[in-house]
Amino acid sequence: MKGVKNRIMTYLGWLISEIHGEEYTFLLKKLSEIDFYWSDRIPIDENRAKDGLALRDEYDILAVSEGWEDRKSGYSDENRVEKPCSVLEMMIAMAQRIENDTMSDGIMDRSVEWFWVMIGNLNLDFLTDRAMSYDGMCYAEMVILRWLDRHFGPDGRGSPYPTRRFGKQYEDLRNTDIYTSFQWYLNENWGDLSE
């Protein structure tokens, strides 16, 4: 229709739509406000931040092609370097990497499923917009910070990728990079994916 403005899609709105999180906007906004950081003992986890930051470029390209007026919302070239990768960005990018590297069969994209598996494993899946409260926000932040600080069980309990075979087959997940830990989680729950 002539004269109708193009739809405006903010960056956060785009991230939420990418993972079908419309019922979890308060939780996802909270995750977008927490900076992702990694242990000095596991510097390879910086790659997870780089993957998360790449989502900003993906959004910028899409925003230009779609003609969204609010493109680069909060992530302009001037402040892109200053704002670290958020937990939300890292988790979405991790879900996409798992799908693309391990699970992709070319038939369906399960990256949304992998994102919500991580949220469920962190015991945050009950924090829908209808259930969210100030206490819920505090709880979500506490859970995320405990995970980022590696204050979870050696079997990954309290992280997005718990395992049952700790000590038998897997190392202490507190000392293992995120990508490898999630691979072990997938192998345990969906069979050996290394083939």
Side-chain angles (χ1 to χ4, degrees):
M1 290 173 57
K2 197 172 185 177
V4 175
K5 283 189 170 184
N6 289 329
R7 181 170 64 130
I8 296 174
M9 177 72 77
T10 65
Y11 180 62
L12 179 59
W14 176 73
L15 290 174
I16 290 171
S17 71
E18 284 291 291
I19 53 170
H20 307 276
E22 291 77 11
E23 294 180 27
Y24 290 86
T25 58
F26 295 127
L27 172 64
L28 299 174
K29 184 174 185 320
K30 183 66 176 173
L31 297 183
S32 77
E33 295 168 352
I34 301 172
D35 293 343
F36 172 69
Y37 55 89
W38 55 94
S39 168
D40 292 337
R41 296 182 325 237
I42 311 171
I44 195 169
D45 278 344
E46 180 180 7
N47 292 332
R48 304 294 62 84
K50 289 177 181 177
D51 287 348
L53 292 173
L55 291 172
R56 297 175 189 180
D57 294 328
E58 186 179 335
Y59 170 78
D60 288 345
I61 292 166
L62 186 61
V64 168
S65 71
E66 294 291 325
W68 295 333
E69 294 176 10
D70 196 19
R71 71 182 198 85
K72 295 185 179 182
S73 234
Y75 294 97
S76 65
D77 290 335
E78 300 85 49
N79 68 11
R80 184 178 301 248
V81 175
E82 295 174 21
K83 175 75 173 124
C85 176
S86 71
V87 168
L88 178 61
E89 289 170 312
M90 188 288 296
M91 291 180 71
I92 292 171
M94 180 67 191
Q96 292 174 347
R97 179 159 296 280
I98 289 295
E99 178 62 23
N100 294 334
D101 289 358
T102 308
M103 300 300 290
S104 183
D105 56 13
I107 298 171
M108 63 185 284
D109 180 350
R110 291 169 291 255
S111 54
V112 171
E113 179 181 346
W114 303 133
F115 177 85
W116 291 106
V117 163
M118 288 187 277
I119 292 293
N121 287 342
L122 286 165
N123 294 316
L124 297 175
D125 54 340
F126 72 95
L127 293 174
T128 63
D129 287 349
R130 293 177 78 179
M132 187 56 85
S133 64
Y134 176 77
D135 289 342
M137 291 288 204
C138 293
Y139 171 77
E141 184 170 4
M142 179 201 67
V143 166
I144 294 298
L145 295 179
R146 287 184 65 189
W147 165 48
L148 294 177
D149 290 335
R150 303 249 166 197
H151 294 154
F152 52 84
D155 61 353
R157 203 165 306 195
S159 79
Y161 33 77
T163 65
R164 294 181 299 276
R165 297 183 195 162
F166 165 70
K168 299 174 190 149
Q169 184 175 354
Y170 305 127
E171 301 171 24
D172 186 334
L173 270 70
R174 295 172 296 191
N175 300 319
T176 307
D177 68 275
I178 291 170
Y179 186 81
T180 300
S181 298
F182 205 79
Q183 289 290 322
W184 291 344
Y185 170 80
L186 290 174
N187 285 339
E188 184 174 287
N189 290 282
W190 280 275
D192 187 3
L193 305 171
S194 60
E195 301 169 351

